Amino acid sequence: MLARCGVPARDRDDVLQECLIGAVVAVREGRYRPEPGLHPRRILQRWLIGIAVHQARKYHEKAYRRREIAVVDPLAYVVGRVPSPHGEVEARALLDLLWLVEPRERKVLILVGEGEQVSEVARSIGVPIGTAFGRLRRGRQRLAAVLKRRRRTC
């Protein structure tokens, strides 16, 4: 049934599990009300097919919203270097450590890290250029100390 609804073989077990969960929940909530007079097996079969069609439709809607494309090897379409997902996780962990630096110093570190000149940063936050350089130096020192402590604990 799920094959006729266009569900790929790799996802049929998941959709079938959703069908089973949906049927159990419907029975518990009292939504399974067979018509008297029809054969019970035929009623149950029609009801389960309806659930399967509904779950297959939900599967396709989710795939469309996520803009998934069913291909065997998606990496075959990637040109160039593929970034590692571990790098993104490590970068986020390092950004979290940046919050351990004092807010005034962190602001200067972030702005300089984004490519602004220290003189522009000083002007934008309204401090003398010497103060901005001092905050940058102290921020770098504190960030280095935080990173050093982190390396010791890892």
Side-chain angles (χ1 to χ4, degrees), residues 10-67:
R10 68 175 186 275
D11 293 332
R12 285 185 195 141
D13 287 341
D14 294 335
V15 176
L16 187 60
Q17 183 176 3
E18 292 296 323
C19 292
L20 179 62
I21 291 170
V24 169
V25 168
V27 168
R28 285 186 180 165
E29 293 176 353
R31 288 185 280 144
Y32 177 64
R33 296 180 297 271
E35 292 180 31
L38 294 176
H39 191 271
R41 185 176 181 157
R42 185 75 175 147
I43 294 171
L44 183 62
Q45 183 181 20
R46 286 181 180 175
W47 184 65
L48 290 174
I49 287 173
I51 292 174
V53 169
H54 177 75
Q55 291 298 333
R57 187 172 352 118
K58 279 178 57 177
Y59 167 82
H60 287 295
E61 288 172 2
K62 287 180 184 177
Y64 177 75
R65 280 194 304 260
R66 290 187 307 256
R67 292 177 171 73

Side-chain angles (χ1 to χ4, degrees), residues 66-130:
R66 290 187 307 256
R67 292 177 171 73
E68 290 181 352
I69 300 171
V71 294
V72 177
D73 183 20
L75 293 179
Y77 296 98
V78 177
V79 179
R81 187 170 107 24
V82 179
S84 167
H86 302 294
E88 185 176 333
V89 171
E90 290 173 1
R92 288 182 190 271
L94 291 174
L95 283 174
D96 286 342
L97 293 177
L98 190 60
W99 289 101
L100 299 175
V101 177
E102 292 293 321
R104 296 184 309 178
E105 297 163 359
R106 180 176 53 238
K107 187 170 189 172
V108 174
L109 275 174
I110 291 172
L111 291 173
V112 169
E114 290 177 344
E116 287 193 40
Q117 298 292 323
V118 179
S119 58
E120 295 171 4
V121 172
R123 195 173 323 113
S124 69
I125 62 176
V127 297
I129 193 166

